[in-house]
Amino acid sequence: MKYWLMKTEPSEFSIQDLAKAKKKTTHWDGVRNYQARNFMRDDMRIGDRVLLYHSNADPSAVVGTAKIVKESYPDFTAWDPKDKHFDPKSSAENPRWFMVDIQLDEIFLEPISLADLRKVAALKEMELLRKGSRLSVQPVRKKEFDAIQRVAAKQK
DNA sequence: GCCAACGTTGGC
DNA sequence: GCCAACGTTGGC
């Protein structure tokens, strides 16, 4: 089993929106970065665990966990000229962008902010905390996932 | 295939 | 809203 982190801007789609979604499940559309796409298309498997992160938030923070419930398929929002993430270079015949479905596991009682994450020794090398890191879908080490879950468990 | 110009991300 | 750090585009 692998571990991931996926970013979302809460003003666009928050973890609370995911909680309200049918079966607490959503397709993770709108990723338009090749490295992020490749992780979704090639490496994500059903059952993999996901940290959900709110970017451009106050504060930006890891807010909960989810799991992969459907493996990659074409991101059809890229074909819709009215969609914000429309890409004329992607077609049904030759899709350029892919997505997966995720289902909510848990919303943390309190978001774990970037400042808090930086205090955790086990997260020293975490991609999210690297200067200049912008990748919206990124792999996470097991020890990092576990460390964040331990921080969340202390909230209870 | 280089690289300048441009667009985007995302913390602050 | 600023701007540093990236990623992409396209002329050459």
Side-chain angles (χ1 to χ4, degrees), chain A residues 102-155:
Chain A
I102 67 167
Q103 181 175 43
L104 180 67
D105 277 331
E106 179 190 13
I107 297 180
F108 296 156
L109 293 179
E110 298 288 338
I112 305 173
S113 70
L114 274 184
D116 287 341
L117 293 170
R118 289 188 198 284
K119 294 175 195 159
V120 181
L123 305 181
K124 277 272 186 303
E125 296 173 18
M126 192 177 181
E127 167 70 19
L128 179 74
L129 302 183
R130 257 192 46 235
K131 181 179 163 69
S133 166
R134 312 190 316 188
L135 200 53
S136 62
V137 175
Q138 53 183 260
V140 171
R141 294 174 187 84
K142 181 176 193 305
K143 74 165 185 182
E144 293 165 349
F145 188 95
D146 291 345
I148 289 174
Q149 281 222 306
R150 276 198 299 277
V151 173
K154 280 191 210 155
Q155 298 170 339

Side-chain angles (χ1 to χ4, degrees), chain A residues 72-124:
Chain A
S72 82
Y73 59 107
D75 181 345
F76 49 76
T77 68
W79 308 333
D80 177 0
K82 292 191 289 292
D83 194 276
K84 186 179 177 185
H85 302 288
F86 173 61
D87 180 356
K89 291 172 185 159
S90 185
S91 65
E93 296 72 33
N94 189 18
R96 172 176 293 213
W97 303 112
F98 290 79
M99 58 189 176
V100 298
D101 286 359
I102 67 167
Q103 181 175 43
L104 180 67
D105 277 331
E106 179 190 13
I107 297 180
F108 296 156
L109 293 179
E110 298 288 338
I112 305 173
S113 70
L114 274 184
D116 287 341
L117 293 170
R118 289 188 198 284
K119 294 175 195 159
V120 181
L123 305 181
K124 277 272 186 303

Side-chain angles (χ1 to χ4, degrees), chain A residues 48-72:
Chain A
D48 284 358
R49 307 291 308 278
V50 178
L51 295 168
L52 286 175
Y53 177 79
H54 279 175
S55 61
N56 273 317
D58 187 21
S60 293
V62 174
V63 290
T65 61
K67 57 177 173 284
I68 307 296
V69 292
K70 181 175 177 179
E71 293 178 12
S72 82

